[in-house]
Amino acid sequence: MSSNTPLALFVGIPNDTLSIDEIALFRETNPLGLFVGRRSLKNPDQVKKLTEQFRTAVGRDDAPIFTDQEGGRVSHLDSGSWPLFRSFGEFGALARRDLELGKHALRLSSQAMGAMMRELGLDSGCSPVLDLVFGDTSDVIGARAFGQDPALISALGREVVDGLLEVGNMPIMKHIPGHGRATVDSHKERPRVDADKSLLRATDFKPFIDLIDTPWAMVSHVVYSAYDDQNPASVSPVICKDVIRNELGYDGVLISDCVYMESLSGSLPERVRQTLEAGCDIALHSHGTNSETLAAAKAARPLSDETIRRMDAAKARLGNLNVDIRQLHAEVEEIFGA
């Protein structure tokens, strides 16, 4: 199965180091990247060793390694070894009181968090969340979102995208084309949004349109019945190709949300295949046993030339601004304290 071109697949691991069997599996299958969760992030030295292990296994110094690091409750770097960052909901509340102060605080926080990840060898925290939040929005979003006003979300999302890029950490806007109207958790069941096209474009889709230059985007597992009555976005060619690529005009890298989430149906390998066939550039298989990872790898395909082009364009946007992480974090805390 080994190929010079990586598979269009992110894989996960259960521990904070790679086993001999995992190293052999990754060397043989050559997945594009690694997704690490809280269980794999203990302290700076351990994380740096883990990232080196994976990159050595696949033979690529630039193999991408991602985590979930938005701030608030979605902060996988929370073992006590790193500063804790505030949720987007808190920045949204600050910005509604004082827009410029909220934007300033969020820019500083994004730079600090991005630089922290870059130091560890982590390429992205899969952020920002550009979903709207309503009174009946599923708690899976909740305080992860800036609020309900698309214009405010666009303004604050821009601070995250630009702040992360400045310090060399890849922003990934999610969950395109919008998870906010979903009233159930896509980890557990299949959300369905029945809003019409004009309403979706004016509200849920709007922040993604405004930030259409974001280099990467994560596709939701939500059904949008106005476009595709049967399939969640991540496995819908109508949503991925007709809506996201053509109607919204997005030409960045599309990665699926995790295929383990129960909004999807079929076996894990079938889910990997479905996301790639629908138009996602990359499938996210964020955890699992070695046998599950091998099955997912067999279902995946090598990166396409178009995906490689998009990834190269994304990497070209990364800056190398050096910042004092703890100083910036302290400035943000001072703003909230005041």
Side-chain angles (χ1 to χ4, degrees):
M1 184 181 293
S2 182
S3 165
N4 289 332
T5 303
L7 293 178
L9 182 71
F10 267 70
V11 295
I13 55 172
N15 299 306
D16 58 9
T17 188
L18 296 188
S19 68
I20 293 174
D21 288 343
E22 286 166 338
I23 290 171
L25 174 63
F26 298 153
R27 180 179 295 121
E28 171 62 22
T29 58
N30 194 17
L32 171 64
L34 178 69
F35 188 93
V36 287
R38 184 175 286 107
R39 61 189 174 274
S40 302
L41 302 168
K42 303 302 184 186
N43 61 72
D45 287 342
Q46 170 266 320
V47 176
K48 291 174 185 176
K49 289 177 182 176
L50 174 61
T51 60
E52 290 172 6
Q53 267 192 310
F54 177 76
R55 291 178 174 126
T56 299
V58 296
R60 286 177 281 116
D61 290 340
D62 62 348
I65 301 177
F66 293 174
T67 188
D68 262 333
Q69 183 67 24
E70 301 165 4
R73 63 182 171 85
V74 181
S75 298
H76 285 197
L77 292 162
D78 67 352
S79 69
S81 297
W82 301 283
L84 293 178
F85 293 83
R86 291 180 179 266
S87 70
F88 290 145
E90 291 177 274
F91 287 101
L94 175 61
R96 283 188 289 276
R97 296 194 299 271
D98 186 329
L99 177 59
E100 291 308 313
L101 185 62
K103 289 167 59 176
H104 174 65
L106 184 56
R107 185 64 155 258
L108 298 181
S109 184
S110 300
Q111 290 175 338
M113 191 151 50
M116 183 178 78
M117 285 185 276
R118 187 186 66 185
E119 281 189 0
L120 296 168
L122 301 173
D123 297 287
S124 179
C126 297
S127 178
V129 174
L130 299 185
D131 304 315
L132 280 63
V133 62
F134 302 95
D136 58 353
T137 295
S138 168
D139 288 342
V140 74
I141 300 298
R144 298 169 64 192
F146 291 116
Q148 187 175 340
D149 177 8
L152 180 68
I153 294 170
S154 297
L156 294 178
R158 174 60 64 191
E159 299 301 323
V160 180
V161 169
D162 290 352
L164 292 173
L165 284 172
E166 285 166 350
V167 297
N169 196 252
M170 188 66 71
I172 302 179
M173 60 179 180
K174 61 187 185 188
H175 305 81
I176 198 169
H179 203 297
R181 292 185 189 275
T183 58
V184 299
D185 182 352
S186 51
H187 291 82
K188 301 174 182 177
E189 51 190 310
R190 178 171 292 181
R192 179 184 177 89
V193 169
D194 292 321
D196 63 37
K197 293 180 180 180
S198 60
L199 179 59
L200 287 171
R201 189 171 180 93
T203 56
D204 299 63
F205 294 3
K206 188 67 166 62
F208 297 98
I209 295 169
D210 290 343
L211 275 73
I212 206 70
D213 61 332
T214 304
W216 283 58
M218 180 176 287
V219 186
S220 79
H221 292 323
V222 176
V223 172
Y224 306 89
S225 62
Y227 292 93
D228 185 335
D229 193 48
Q230 301 298 319
N231 300 300
S234 55
V235 294
S236 168
V238 173
I239 299 293
C240 288
K241 296 175 182 177
D242 296 348
V243 177
I244 296 176
R245 292 296 188 201
N246 296 332
E247 183 179 335
L248 304 190
Y250 186 65
D251 191 38
V253 181
L254 282 181
I255 184 170
S256 74
D257 209 341
C258 180
V259 298
Y260 273 81
M261 293 164 64
E262 290 307 312
S263 176
L264 302 186
S265 58
S267 68
L268 290 169
E270 287 170 344
R271 297 178 188 191
V272 168
R273 191 177 298 111
Q274 289 165 9
T275 62
L276 297 177
E277 290 177 351
C280 291
D281 289 292
I282 299 158
L284 173 57
H285 184 276
S286 68
H287 51 281
T289 64
N290 281 3
S291 60
E292 288 172 331
T293 300
L294 178 59
K298 289 179 178 178
R301 64 180 182 225
L303 294 174
S304 70
D305 290 343
E306 274 291 273
T307 297
I308 293 171
R309 176 188 64 78
R310 291 175 180 133
M311 289 175 57
D312 287 346
K315 284 177 65 175
R317 304 236 346 247
L318 294 173
N320 59 2
L321 178 67
N322 289 315
V323 299
D324 186 322
I325 296 165
R326 294 193 178 273
Q327 178 183 332
L328 292 188
H329 182 264
E331 288 182 35
V332 173
E333 289 304 300
E334 185 175 346
I335 289 170
F336 276 93

